[in-house]
Amino acid sequence: MTLTVGKPAPSSPESGTGARGFWPLRDLPVVGWLAGVVVVSFIHPFIPAPRWLMIHLLLLGAAGHSILVWSRYFADTLARLPATPRREQSQRLVVFNLGVLVVATGIVTDVWPLVVAGAVAVVAAVLWHVATIVRGLRGALASRFSFTLHFYVAAGLLLPVGVTLGTWLATNPGEPVETRLRLAHASINVLGWIGLTVLGTILTLGPTMLRTRIVEGAEARTRRALLVLLGGIAVIVAATLVDVVPLVAAGLAVYAFGAGMVAWGVVQAGRAKPPTSFPTWSLAAGIAWLLALLLWTAARVALAGTWAEAGDVFDAVVPYLAAGFVAQVLLGALSYLVPVVMGGGPAAVRSMNHDLDAGGALRVSLTNLGLVVCILPVPSLVRVITSLLVLVALAAFVPVLMRAVRRRHRAEAVPVTEPRPRGQNTGLAAVGLALVMVAVALGGSLDVASLGMEKSAADGVAATGETVEVTVEARDMRFTPSSITVDAGDRLVITVKNTDPVEVHDLVLETGHDSGRLAPGEEAVIDVGVVGRDLDGWCSVVGHRQMGMVLAIDAIGGADAAPPAAADPDGTASDGTEGGHDAHAMGSSDHGSPDGPAADTVIPDPVLGPVPQGRLHKHTFTITEEMREVAPGVVQERWMYNGSAPGPTLHGKVGDVFEITLVNNGRSGHSIDFHAGQRAPDKVMVTIPPGETLVYRFKATRSGIWMYHCSSMPMTAHISAGLFGAVVIEPRDLPPVDKSYVLVQSELYYDAAGGPVDMAKLQDEKPDAVVFNGYHNAYAHEPLKVKAGERVRFWLLDAGPNRALSFHVVGGQFDRTWFEGDYQLGSASSPSKEGGAQALGLLAAQGGFVEMVLTEPGRYPIVNHIMIDAERGAYGTVEVTK
């Protein structure tokens, strides 16, 4: 049977399906959502834009809008219903798109009420949509394809369930609930809302796009498939409820079987008349990705032993479902349906089809070959470059569509008498293949291991011809297995998998072989070659080797292990791994030079200004890893919040709310922990990989000078490297003073090659420098200036991570001291009349303030009176003038 579902509907003023009502309202939001995905993808490294925002813009925004439009269109056509009134359809789309926009805003800002409000609007629009389809089914004439509407109704009823789970998920419920919620939410929305709609439509849309008949038996298979598909989703959700991980794999397999039942009819139609244009290629590729990813995910989840591992699998596959399945089906369907619905006669439709097919073979080949490369265990740089090609190929649809619509409205029809020659399409596909190959070659050439710089591990031993392949997992600061045994002369191939949920890891061998940095879920292959001696390996991320991330390769019958490549004191290799960059050669182990700070060095301003207005304080903290001078002539890599170590000082009053958006632009996993507010650590004090963001919100309920710091392991390394700072929450009765300063003591462990920290010195508690506000003798170089008789307050924090602070002003006495939340000397109403204090002692992470009045002009040293630390750099000067 031949079914024409693409016949243009009437263009009456009340019709939502004609050309007059089509472009301005119906599909312009899709272009907007797609453009949003592209924009967020490119600005993601510079502003807070979590990966899940991009996923929601595509799956909820672009795909959801298209489902509301086109399932309504197919329902009217297949069930022979009256055209949907344009006003009703427009109102429904406005409610839906506003809801998606509010949900996206809530996700970015981490404001749960916004997520709830947006979710309510989305659910209302979809249930309204479902109600109109059900009402139409009851009054429709008998149609052999009305069962397609059952798919739409089931999909629409599942979405409110998925949205409700997503709204719950936005509250950050924590484990063990969060991962199971995420799996159920993703399964219901992607496989239910989107999957059922697509599978219910392709039975008729696929053959129509191919201009061929629906094969015999396809309708009956599709009818039966709906129950199978719903059963698969039910099994997945039930698995999350009864806490049985293998049931998720079973549910995915059932769903894949149901999807295969539907796809069978389309495949048979394609065999009769193979795809020859972008719309049909894109639709076919999308369905292929759906089936392949379902089976791959089912297999991986079946091997997962925990919900965390199953969640990692889902997290890894969702972007490929979004790009490979959803995006390609959406773009293919729109490329076919837009010209048909806009109408204008056969010549106009053919002309617009021709415009939308521009570069089709190139776009399809780039998208699919690029996705294949990205899903393989390739180096991270190869994946980044190739994913950009995929993004460009998908995003090209927007300008192509805009151009086609503009030409259509201007009646610039191009005469089309025959399809593009097969040779032209083949050539464009070959160009796509060539571009992907160039991306792989470029990424590989920039990877150290691919340059052939590794040293041979053969050590003169003859090759046996045997190959040993081993998989090593990096997780929880360990390699598993932690040792590999081979016969001398065997070739060794190691597949390194980062199964850690949050941390970035790598594997570096003493020969120079390097897996490259691996984000959670990524893997890489190291071909060690012939092994003739024992070898050592380690993770080169700062501090990870010291925490036990080491690998031993034992060669039976080989020579003793040769001395490893020169290593920095923190345990990382000096030939291209952490701390071995050319820029680090600026490092020095000297405590400084008499010449003073470099011209471009900025000594931190210690002045504490007034409390900012308002009770809500929003800040963005961006983590970077950069070279900075820490003492005259000493340049080290520093890990910084907003370009400084210590990070920005936050200032507020009791009852104020702080909302910090953390952006990790470093090369390692990082986090943040604010002592100034009470929060569950597993919700906000979590490590985020490079490129990711986190929103940390807390209410300051108690006064004090509170520490904040990176809590990623090893914490000593991350704090010593510079990721710490202060939050000053003033007591309600704090009296005014003339000058107020903030001094944060920390320690520096100079790395000989300029790296962030020497782990050996750190573990031995032998700092090279102990400093105020991150620089050696900072305020000896730029003294603090006060006038005689002014009351001065020093807010003090010991950031450690190890050394204590005994703060003293040489020549002065304190008449008011405040330690860890309460006055020790004097009071809020008055300083002490007779008693005094000479020092305020603080252990690591403790804080307070001291006050004094210096009446005689002169130079007053400020020191840590643990004098060895004053001599190490915890020193400055107060200049008192008349």
Side-chain angles (χ1 to χ4, degrees), residues 56-68:
H56 281 81
L57 291 180
L58 176 60
L59 300 187
L60 187 58
H65 177 95
S66 294
I67 287 173
L68 290 185

PDB file of all heavy atoms in Angstrom, residues 56-68:
ATOM      1  N   HIS A  56      18.950  18.882  27.598  1.00  0.00           N
ATOM      2  CA  HIS A  56      17.548  19.297  27.744  1.00  0.00           C
ATOM      3  C   HIS A  56      17.112  20.229  26.618  1.00  0.00           C
ATOM      4  O   HIS A  56      15.958  20.181  26.179  1.00  0.00           O
ATOM      5  CB  HIS A  56      17.343  19.970  29.107  1.00  0.00           C
ATOM      6  CG  HIS A  56      17.212  18.995  30.240  1.00  0.00           C
ATOM      7  ND1 HIS A  56      18.295  18.401  30.842  1.00  0.00           N
ATOM      8  CD2 HIS A  56      16.119  18.496  30.871  1.00  0.00           C
ATOM      9  CE1 HIS A  56      17.883  17.588  31.803  1.00  0.00           C
ATOM     10  NE2 HIS A  56      16.572  17.621  31.839  1.00  0.00           N
ATOM     11  N   LEU A  57      18.004  21.095  26.162  1.00  0.00           N
ATOM     12  CA  LEU A  57      17.637  21.965  25.043  1.00  0.00           C
ATOM     13  C   LEU A  57      17.296  21.152  23.805  1.00  0.00           C
ATOM     14  O   LEU A  57      16.360  21.485  23.062  1.00  0.00           O
ATOM     15  CB  LEU A  57      18.787  22.928  24.729  1.00  0.00           C
ATOM     16  CG  LEU A  57      19.091  24.015  25.768  1.00  0.00           C
ATOM     17  CD1 LEU A  57      20.249  24.884  25.296  1.00  0.00           C
ATOM     18  CD2 LEU A  57      17.869  24.869  26.037  1.00  0.00           C
ATOM     19  N   LEU A  58      18.040  20.069  23.579  1.00  0.00           N
ATOM     20  CA  LEU A  58      17.784  19.244  22.398  1.00  0.00           C
ATOM     21  C   LEU A  58      16.602  18.306  22.612  1.00  0.00           C
ATOM     22  O   LEU A  58      15.657  18.280  21.808  1.00  0.00           O
ATOM     23  CB  LEU A  58      19.039  18.436  22.051  1.00  0.00           C
ATOM     24  CG  LEU A  58      18.899  17.443  20.890  1.00  0.00           C
ATOM     25  CD1 LEU A  58      18.519  18.165  19.609  1.00  0.00           C
ATOM     26  CD2 LEU A  58      20.192  16.658  20.698  1.00  0.00           C
ATOM     27  N   LEU A  59      16.644  17.519  23.698  1.00  0.00           N
ATOM     28  CA  LEU A  59      15.641  16.472  23.876  1.00  0.00           C
ATOM     29  C   LEU A  59      14.295  17.014  24.337  1.00  0.00           C
ATOM     30  O   LEU A  59      13.242  16.565  23.862  1.00  0.00           O
ATOM     31  CB  LEU A  59      16.143  15.434  24.886  1.00  0.00           C
ATOM     32  CG  LEU A  59      17.441  14.709  24.530  1.00  0.00           C
ATOM     33  CD1 LEU A  59      17.712  13.595  25.527  1.00  0.00           C
ATOM     34  CD2 LEU A  59      17.374  14.125  23.124  1.00  0.00           C
ATOM     35  N   LEU A  60      14.309  17.973  25.251  1.00  0.00           N
ATOM     36  CA  LEU A  60      13.039  18.517  25.729  1.00  0.00           C
ATOM     37  C   LEU A  60      12.571  19.676  24.859  1.00  0.00           C
ATOM     38  O   LEU A  60      11.394  19.760  24.511  1.00  0.00           O
ATOM     39  CB  LEU A  60      13.188  18.978  27.181  1.00  0.00           C
ATOM     40  CG  LEU A  60      11.896  19.415  27.892  1.00  0.00           C
ATOM     41  CD1 LEU A  60      10.869  18.295  27.900  1.00  0.00           C
ATOM     42  CD2 LEU A  60      12.198  19.878  29.312  1.00  0.00           C
ATOM     43  N   GLY A  61      13.513  20.555  24.483  1.00  0.00           N
ATOM     44  CA  GLY A  61      13.133  21.728  23.703  1.00  0.00           C
ATOM     45  C   GLY A  61      12.847  21.418  22.250  1.00  0.00           C
ATOM     46  O   GLY A  61      11.697  21.435  21.801  1.00  0.00           O
ATOM     47  N   ALA A  62      13.898  21.117  21.472  1.00  0.00           N
ATOM     48  CA  ALA A  62      13.736  20.915  20.030  1.00  0.00           C
ATOM     49  C   ALA A  62      12.882  19.682  19.720  1.00  0.00           C
ATOM     50  O   ALA A  62      11.918  19.754  18.951  1.00  0.00           O
ATOM     51  CB  ALA A  62      15.110  20.785  19.376  1.00  0.00           C
ATOM     52  N   ALA A  63      13.232  18.537  20.317  1.00  0.00           N
ATOM     53  CA  ALA A  63      12.487  17.308  20.029  1.00  0.00           C
ATOM     54  C   ALA A  63      11.063  17.393  20.571  1.00  0.00           C
ATOM     55  O   ALA A  63      10.104  16.984  19.907  1.00  0.00           O
ATOM     56  CB  ALA A  63      13.209  16.102  20.617  1.00  0.00           C
ATOM     57  N   GLY A  64      10.898  17.928  21.785  1.00  0.00           N
ATOM     58  CA  GLY A  64       9.560  18.026  22.366  1.00  0.00           C
ATOM     59  C   GLY A  64       8.633  18.913  21.555  1.00  0.00           C
ATOM     60  O   GLY A  64       7.471  18.564  21.311  1.00  0.00           O
ATOM     61  N   HIS A  65       9.136  20.067  21.113  1.00  0.00           N
ATOM     62  CA  HIS A  65       8.312  20.953  20.277  1.00  0.00           C
ATOM     63  C   HIS A  65       7.911  20.249  18.987  1.00  0.00           C
ATOM     64  O   HIS A  65       6.742  20.314  18.572  1.00  0.00           O
ATOM     65  CB  HIS A  65       9.098  22.226  19.964  1.00  0.00           C
ATOM     66  CG  HIS A  65       8.372  23.168  19.049  1.00  0.00           C
ATOM     67  ND1 HIS A  65       7.610  24.213  19.511  1.00  0.00           N
ATOM     68  CD2 HIS A  65       8.274  23.206  17.693  1.00  0.00           C
ATOM     69  CE1 HIS A  65       7.083  24.860  18.480  1.00  0.00           C
ATOM     70  NE2 HIS A  65       7.480  24.271  17.368  1.00  0.00           N
ATOM     71  N   SER A  66       8.868  19.571  18.366  1.00  0.00           N
ATOM     72  CA  SER A  66       8.565  18.881  17.106  1.00  0.00           C
ATOM     73  C   SER A  66       7.539  17.774  17.313  1.00  0.00           C
ATOM     74  O   SER A  66       6.686  17.539  16.451  1.00  0.00           O
ATOM     75  CB  SER A  66       9.855  18.304  16.503  1.00  0.00           C
ATOM     76  OG  SER A  66      10.730  19.335  16.120  1.00  0.00           O
ATOM     77  N   ILE A  67       7.618  17.091  18.446  1.00  0.00           N
ATOM     78  CA  ILE A  67       6.639  16.037  18.716  1.00  0.00           C
ATOM     79  C   ILE A  67       5.237  16.625  18.814  1.00  0.00           C
ATOM     80  O   ILE A  67       4.270  16.083  18.248  1.00  0.00           O
ATOM     81  CB  ILE A  67       7.023  15.280  20.005  1.00  0.00           C
ATOM     82  CG1 ILE A  67       8.240  14.385  19.750  1.00  0.00           C
ATOM     83  CG2 ILE A  67       5.855  14.446  20.518  1.00  0.00           C
ATOM     84  CD1 ILE A  67       8.796  13.735  20.993  1.00  0.00           C
ATOM     85  N   LEU A  68       5.098  17.724  19.532  1.00  0.00           N
ATOM     86  CA  LEU A  68       3.776  18.344  19.654  1.00  0.00           C
ATOM     87  C   LEU A  68       3.234  18.768  18.285  1.00  0.00           C
ATOM     88  O   LEU A  68       2.037  18.631  18.014  1.00  0.00           O
ATOM     89  CB  LEU A  68       3.841  19.555  20.582  1.00  0.00           C
ATOM     90  CG  LEU A  68       4.065  19.285  22.075  1.00  0.00           C
ATOM     91  CD1 LEU A  68       3.980  20.584  22.859  1.00  0.00           C
ATOM     92  CD2 LEU A  68       3.047  18.296  22.617  1.00  0.00           C
TER      93      LEU A  68
END
